[in-house]
């Protein structure tokens, strides 16, 4: 591409249209404005290097370029018209129209590959490959398994309000009475109580008094240890004691001695009254003692 005989390099402005053979009907243009094969209104900016440029017709990511529908290629023949401007000299139609051949029409053929339906009976199981037939059979088996599982799940009875209410455990829990107002008040009162803390325990008078007490001394501890080590009296030690053995060997009183003791115990001892009542004692009491003269004479003799 040249401008005034010089190969152009820079930002070129291009307009494109697809028209019929004699250029009287527009099938498509870069901005969709061309009719009757005439020049479109707006242009597409394309970099040109040493007279060469490249772009895709219908690339809607470019400014002033609308998409190119495959339906356009249902027309035949189709010719491409190009207008160019270097930004200074205005637009000029480049040469003659260029007819589009097999490359462009391959887009139309590609559309045929994406048909959405086929005539009934065109494709049968006999036309399918063995591998594809096996895959279809496996898929059908999975569908059948899923259908069975869905039917089983559908038949299951979910929990309803009535079923829940009829459940024995639910009924038992429903019948339970909650705490009474009195119980709730007691719980609140107990909650408000202050538990024993280290500080409260230390401040308690009994705890303080016990804390102030002195423990046993070393002497007391040694005495306790000595007493603990002592051996207490056992039956064997008592029997082995010499005094116990001597007393054990002594013979008790005989039956005769026991009877004599009983007889003596039964005897009535002398009392003052019995002594005074005795006749001999009374006679002796009645006797007159010697006189003083007699006593002196006895003393002189």
């Amino acid at each position: 591409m040249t401008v005034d005989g010089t190969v152009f390099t820079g930002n070129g402005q291009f307009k494109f249209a697809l028209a019929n053979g004699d250029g009287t009907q527009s099938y498509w243009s870069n901005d969709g404005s061309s009719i009757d094969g005439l020049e479109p209104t707006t242009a597409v900016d394309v970099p040109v290097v040493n007279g060469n440029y490249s772009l895709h017709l219908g690339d809607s990511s470019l400014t002033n370029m609308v998409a190119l529908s495959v339906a356009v290629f249902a027309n035949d023949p189709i010719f491409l018209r190009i207008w160019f401007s270097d930004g200074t000299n205005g637009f000029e139609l480049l040469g003659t129209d260029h007819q589009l051949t097999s490359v462009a029409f391959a887009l139309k053929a590609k559309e045929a590959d994406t048909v959405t339906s086929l005539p009934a009976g065109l494709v049968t199981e006999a036309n399918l490959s063995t591998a594809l037939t096996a895959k279809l059979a496996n898929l059908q088996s999975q569908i059948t398994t899923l259908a069975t599982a869905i039917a089983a799940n559908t038949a299951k009875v979910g929990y309803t309000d009535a079923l829940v209410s009829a459940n024995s455990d639910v009924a038992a829990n429903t019948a339970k009475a909650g705490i009474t107002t009195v119980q709730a008040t007691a719980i609140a009162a107990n909650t408000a109580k202050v538990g024993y803390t280290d500080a409260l325990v230390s401040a308690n008078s009994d705890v303080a008094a016990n804390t102030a007490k002195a423990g046993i001394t070393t002497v007391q501890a040694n005495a306790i240890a000595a007493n603990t080590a002592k051996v207490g009296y056992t039956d064997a030690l008592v029997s082995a004691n010499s005094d116990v053995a001597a007393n054990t060997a002594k013979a008790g009183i005989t039956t005769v001695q026991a009877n004599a003791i009983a007889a003596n115990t039964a005897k009535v001892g002398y009392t003052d009254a019995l002594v005074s009542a005795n006749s001999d004692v009374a006679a002796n009491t009645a006797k007159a003692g010697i006189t003083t003269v007699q006593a002196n004479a006895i003393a002189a003799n």
Side-chain angles (χ1 to χ4, degrees):
M1 178 183 302
T2 61
V3 175
D4 296 331
T6 302
V7 174
F8 179 75
T9 294
N11 191 42
Q13 299 176 2
F14 292 84
K15 297 179 179 180
F16 305 95
L18 296 179
N20 60 357
D22 58 7
T24 58
Q25 182 180 0
S26 296
Y27 299 134
W28 173 88
S29 62
N30 62 278
D31 64 355
S33 66
S34 174
I35 57 173
D36 300 331
L38 298 177
E39 180 181 335
T41 303
T42 57
V44 179
D45 290 338
V46 181
V48 180
V49 179
N50 294 327
N52 298 309
Y53 66 95
S54 175
L55 79 163
H56 290 99
L57 296 178
D59 183 358
S60 58
S61 67
L62 299 176
T63 302
N64 298 327
M65 178 76 80
V66 299
L68 177 56
S69 172
V70 175
V72 170
F73 298 100
N75 301 289
D76 187 30
I78 298 177
F79 289 84
L80 173 62
R81 284 186 167 184
I82 304 175
W83 291 264
F84 169 74
S85 171
D86 62 356
T88 301
N89 297 311
F91 284 93
E92 180 181 349
L93 184 64
L94 294 180
T96 59
D97 297 343
H98 304 279
Q99 184 177 2
L100 303 184
T101 55
S102 59
V103 173
F105 285 97
L107 293 172
K108 182 62 178 175
K110 180 176 179 62
E111 184 184 45
D113 292 339
T114 59
V115 294
T116 58
S117 63
L118 293 173
L122 181 62
V123 178
T124 64
E125 187 174 348
N127 300 132
L128 302 177
S129 67
T130 302
L132 182 57
T133 301
K135 288 181 179 179
L136 290 174
N138 182 55
L139 180 60
Q140 183 59 52
S141 175
Q142 293 180 27
I143 292 173
T144 301
T145 300
L146 288 174
T148 302
I150 291 171
N153 287 329
T154 301
K156 292 178 180 177
V157 178
Y159 257 100
T160 62
D161 288 342
L163 288 174
V164 171
S165 298
N167 182 271
S168 59
D169 291 333
V170 172
N173 287 328
T174 301
K176 292 178 179 177
I179 61 173
T180 64
T181 302
V182 174
Q183 292 170 325
T185 302
I187 291 171
N190 287 330
T191 301
K193 290 179 180 177
V194 178
Y196 258 101
T197 63
D198 289 342
L200 289 174
V201 172
S202 298
N204 182 270
S205 58
D206 291 334
V207 172
N210 287 329
T211 301
K213 290 179 181 178
I216 62 174
T217 64
T218 302
V219 174
Q220 292 170 324
N222 292 338
I224 291 171
N227 288 329
T228 301
K230 290 177 180 178
V231 178
Y233 261 103
T234 63
D235 288 341
L237 289 173
V238 170
S239 298
N241 182 270
S242 58
D243 293 333
V244 171
N247 288 328
T248 301
K250 289 179 180 177
I253 62 174
T254 64
T255 302
V256 174
Q257 291 171 327
N259 292 336
I261 291 171
N264 288 329
T265 300
K267 290 179 180 178
V268 177
Y270 262 100
T271 64
D272 288 342
L274 288 173
V275 170
S276 296
N278 184 272
S279 58
D280 291 332
V281 172
N284 288 328
T285 300
K287 288 178 179 179
I290 62 173
T291 65
T292 302
V293 175
Q294 292 171 323
N296 289 333
I298 291 170
N301 291 328

